[in-house]
Amino acid sequence: MNTLAAALVLIAGTGISPNSWFIAYEPRIPESLKR
Amino acid sequence: MRMTLSSVSTHMASYLSKNTVSDTDNSEIYAYGLEILLGAIIKLLAILVSAWLLKSLSATLVVLATYAALRCFGGGAHMSTYFKCLLVGSTIIVCLGRLSHITLTSISLQYLAIVAAVSAFVICLKWVPGDTAIKPIRDRSICLGQKIKMSIMILLWSYTVLHLIQLNLNTFALAMILGCIFAVFLITPWGYRLFELIDKYVLRGGENNDNEEVCYEHSCSSTCINCRNRN
């Protein structure tokens, strides 16, 4: 569970980078991840 | 209750949050990560199954890889909900994969590749990165960095396409050209406009945020790079 959680935090980190890998839709960025 | 990718992710994230050791509540971040991961898996499966049924799996994979690689650095228009994204994105990519089986001569493909490469460079200079209201890119150095990365990708793409034509792998070369055309088109204002039209008039419903300030030029936030470049 902890490994999965760490992987999800990593994926969430890629979601906020400018090199986004969303193809045509992007979810709302959570407040805690906004800089 | 309506079951959306977001609600499923939130439920899974709260379960995960209760069963992990952490000082802070990261359920919001888990939900976001899960939404990205599940969304990508579902979309990939939808594309693979549709392409396999249409007997154009390999060409569709080439279209998808090209599109994703250019999209990653170039950005572009987005649909407002996941369902719309799944439907429109998968349909277009599978159709382009199928379209790649059209027989074209090597010379025609070379001309098409050159036109696509020149257009891609012009679009890269003018409109990359194509940002969105959710994630506006305002930093000048980030914009420049994205332009450089996108230019390198276009150079790599051009080399690969010409090499494929030399090897007489015309189907894959056409698949790469179509993937590139689709990716760079969505960075232009016309791409944003097309997605906006599909979003608003063809596929109604969803979770649009009507309070958001929208740029009429390309349905993104009024502070987007395209608007700033014009001002």
Side-chain angles (χ1 to χ4, degrees), chain B residues 128-129 137-147 225 228:
Chain B
V128 166
I137 302 171
R138 297 191 177 98
D139 195 309
R140 293 273 169 195
S141 60
I142 293 177
C143 291
L144 183 67
Q146 293 305 110
K147 278 183 197 295
I225 182 74
R228 277 186 284 111

Side-chain angles (χ1 to χ4, degrees), chain B residues 14-26:
Chain B
S14 68
Y15 173 79
L16 195 65
S17 191
K18 283 173 196 160
N19 291 285
T20 49
V21 186
S22 177
D23 296 337
T24 52
D25 179 25
N26 289 328

Side-chain angles (χ1 to χ4, degrees), chain A residues 1-2 4-5 8-9 11-12 15-30 32-33, chain B residues 15-16 20-21 28-30 32 35-36 67 71-73 78-82 85 132 134-135 146 149 212:
Chain A
M1 282 289 182
N2 285 323
L4 177 64
L8 288 175
V9 172
I11 292 167
I16 58 162
S17 84
N19 302 327
S20 169
W21 54 298
F22 307 117
I23 294 182
Y25 161 77
E26 55 179 348
R28 298 255 156 224
I29 300 170
S32 48
L33 271 177
Chain B
Y15 173 79
L16 195 65
T20 49
V21 186
E28 213 182 29
I29 299 172
Y30 298 154
Y32 181 64
E35 206 172 337
I36 296 170
Y67 172 72
R71 176 92 177 172
C72 179
F73 300 111
H78 286 253
M79 301 300 281
S80 61
T81 67
Y82 181 71
C85 154
T132 58
I134 293 175
K135 202 168 62 185
Q146 293 305 110
K149 287 176 195 168
E212 212 146 61

Side-chain angles (χ1 to χ4, degrees), chain B residues 158-168:
Chain B
S158 309
Y159 173 77
T160 314
V161 170
L162 292 175
H163 194 61
L164 285 173
I165 296 169
Q166 272 184 350
L167 294 173
N168 225 12

Side-chain angles (χ1 to χ4, degrees), chain B residues 51-216:
Chain B
W52 179 71
L53 289 172
L54 288 170
K55 295 181 173 51
S56 58
L57 186 60
S58 49
T60 305
L61 280 175
V62 173
V63 172
L64 181 65
T66 310
Y67 172 72
L70 293 171
R71 176 92 177 172
C72 179
F73 300 111
H78 286 253
M79 301 300 281
S80 61
T81 67
Y82 181 71
F83 175 71
K84 290 177 184 178
C85 154
L86 183 69
L87 199 68
V88 175
S90 310
T91 307
I92 295 176
I93 286 174
V94 172
C95 287
L96 292 178
R98 190 70 206 140
L99 204 65
S100 308
H101 290 278
I102 290 173
T103 312
L104 287 178
T105 60
S106 296
I107 294 292
S108 317
L109 276 174
Q110 276 175 3
Y111 282 125
L112 196 59
I114 291 164
V115 170
V118 172
S119 311
F121 272 118
V122 172
I123 289 166
C124 174
L125 284 175
K126 202 164 163 59
W127 288 302
V128 166
D131 64 356
T132 58
I134 293 175
K135 202 168 62 185
I137 302 171
R138 297 191 177 98
D139 195 309
R140 293 273 169 195
S141 60
I142 293 177
C143 291
L144 183 67
Q146 293 305 110
K147 278 183 197 295
I148 293 169
K149 287 176 195 168
M150 183 70 172
S151 303
I152 294 169
M153 285 307 295
I154 297 167
L155 276 176
L156 280 173
W157 170 87
S158 309
Y159 173 77
T160 314
V161 170
L162 292 175
H163 194 61
L164 285 173
I165 296 169
Q166 272 184 350
L167 294 173
N168 225 12
L169 295 168
N170 290 358
T171 303
F172 293 140
L174 184 58
M176 283 193 78
I177 293 169
L178 292 175
C180 172
I181 291 171
F182 181 43
V184 295
F185 174 70
L186 289 183
I187 303 169
T188 65
W190 309 290
Y192 277 90
R193 180 66 62 87
L194 179 71
F195 262 34
E196 185 192 8
L197 287 174
I198 295 171
D199 218 326
K200 280 187 179 169
Y201 302 110
V202 183
L203 301 168
R204 290 178 186 211
E207 296 158 357
N208 280 317
N209 186 355
D210 294 332
N211 296 326
E212 212 146 61
E213 202 182 346
V214 168
C215 156
Y216 291 105

